[in-house]
Amino acid sequence: MELRHLEYFLACCDLGTFTAAARSLDVVQSAVSTGVAKMERELGERVFDRTPTVLVLTDTGRAIVGPARAALRARADIFDAVDGVRGDIRGEVAVGALVNVVSIDLAEAFAEIHRRHPGITIAMRQNPRGSSGNIVGVRAGTLDLAFLGAYPDLIPGIAVHRLAQEPLVLVCSPDHRLAQAGSFATADLAEERVIDYPPGWGTRAVVDRDIPDRRTVIEVADQFFGMSLAVKGFGVTLVPLGVAHMHAGAAIVPCSDTALMWDIAIAHSSTRTPSRAARAVLDIVLELARPVRVSRTPS
């Protein structure tokens, strides 16, 4: 059985479709579906039931998830051991991403990783469930490192390193009553049309915690689109201050009665030793991904 077929299988487990798995692995969809089919023929059992919308694990599929993950970890450990003998630091590091990370200088950190360790390849993985999906990936071993937004320091099985913090602000049209007022209280959102983001996202966790009484009219998985809707008067939305400044037409309104703070952190498993490459990436991110100065005064 080829290890790449196990990799395809696990990507399908995590993302639910052949198309999403192929996108995450940067291969064509037919390669993933064919690879999984070959694995099924070798096993003599189906590992997925194919439905019109999602892949559903069979009993056989559920039984082999753990061994498949262990096999891929063993492969990575073998290459890491050989590189250690050579004195090299190389290999792929799978990193769970977040959308619109502007509060830290991640580009500088990644550029320095390339300068110091050109043999390291960083594979950024975007999970539709945001931070909660990244936590699942770290626990499962499909992600070596992951960025988290607005999650607590104590997460079972996860080591969390804080990087930066910034406030959530309200974005609305310039002629909105709250833009004219210059600030808003959390109670104001009970009567507003609120543009929310998906459950599992860090920003959503902050808003659910601190503004439970609000009227959500739409959920979108794109903060820039959410801000565009707000600027056109569809509703109002809450995003990190640095993200708010990305939309030139946005009115940015601070909260007056609650500290709506959004944290960004990088995390890894606390039950498995990171590879030499993952450790190098983590160390450089902690060294260089400094908070970007963002004015706390709306502009």
Side-chain angles (χ1 to χ4, degrees), residues 9-10 13-14 48 57 60-71 73 140:
F9 163 69
L10 291 173
C13 291
D14 294 332
F48 292 115
L57 282 167
T60 298
R62 283 188 289 272
I64 68 171
V65 168
R69 295 201 193 283
R73 285 197 296 270

Side-chain angles (χ1 to χ4, degrees), residues 56-131:
V56 179
L57 282 167
T58 64
D59 287 344
T60 298
R62 283 188 289 272
I64 68 171
V65 168
R69 295 201 193 283
L72 292 186
R73 285 197 296 270
R75 178 185 64 177
D77 289 344
I78 289 170
F79 282 108
D80 199 44
V82 173
D83 288 339
V85 172
R86 294 172 177 163
D88 295 336
I89 299 180
R90 63 177 61 248
E92 182 179 275
V93 179
V95 179
L98 296 176
V99 297
N100 299 329
V101 176
V102 298
S103 54
I104 58 173
D105 194 350
L106 195 56
E108 172 58 26
F110 281 12
E112 184 63 21
I113 291 165
H114 172 67
R115 286 190 286 268
R116 295 187 198 178
H117 307 293
I120 291 178
T121 301
I122 298 174
M124 299 295 286
R125 308 286 192 227
Q126 185 73 54
N127 192 295
R129 291 177 291 170
S131 293

Side-chain angles (χ1 to χ4, degrees), residues 66-260:
R69 295 201 193 283
L72 292 186
R73 285 197 296 270
R75 178 185 64 177
D77 289 344
I78 289 170
F79 282 108
D80 199 44
V82 173
D83 288 339
V85 172
R86 294 172 177 163
D88 295 336
I89 299 180
R90 63 177 61 248
E92 182 179 275
V93 179
V95 179
L98 296 176
V99 297
N100 299 329
V101 176
V102 298
S103 54
I104 58 173
D105 194 350
L106 195 56
E108 172 58 26
F110 281 12
E112 184 63 21
I113 291 165
H114 172 67
R115 286 190 286 268
R116 295 187 198 178
H117 307 293
I120 291 178
T121 301
I122 298 174
M124 299 295 286
R125 308 286 192 227
Q126 185 73 54
N127 192 295
R129 291 177 291 170
S131 293
S132 63
N134 284 351
I135 289 172
V136 171
V138 170
R139 284 182 173 146
T142 57
L143 296 175
D144 300 297
L145 304 169
F147 290 99
L148 307 179
Y151 269 77
D153 292 318
L154 298 177
I155 305 173
I158 306 290
V160 178
H161 306 267
R162 296 284 166 176
L163 295 172
Q165 184 183 71
E166 64 177 302
L168 293 187
V169 294
L170 190 78
V171 168
C172 57
S173 63
D175 60 354
H176 192 281
R177 68 179 183 92
L178 295 177
Q180 301 299 316
S183 66
F184 77 97
T186 53
D188 291 331
L189 298 193
E191 302 301 322
E192 293 294 332
R193 291 169 52 88
V194 177
I195 301 160
D196 259 331
Y197 301 97
W201 284 32
T203 50
R204 175 66 179 267
V206 174
V207 176
D208 282 348
R209 181 192 67 210
D210 293 332
I211 315 178
D213 298 322
R214 64 188 189 280
R215 185 162 66 100
T216 298
V217 294
I218 192 173
E219 285 183 6
V220 297
D222 182 328
Q223 289 176 323
F224 196 84
F225 180 61
M227 291 190 293
S228 295
L229 286 173
V231 168
K232 292 182 182 297
F234 181 86
V236 301
T237 192
L238 289 146
V239 298
L241 179 58
V243 174
H245 282 300
M246 294 170 61
H247 201 300
I252 303 173
V253 186
C255 186
S256 61
D257 67 340
T258 303
L260 301 174

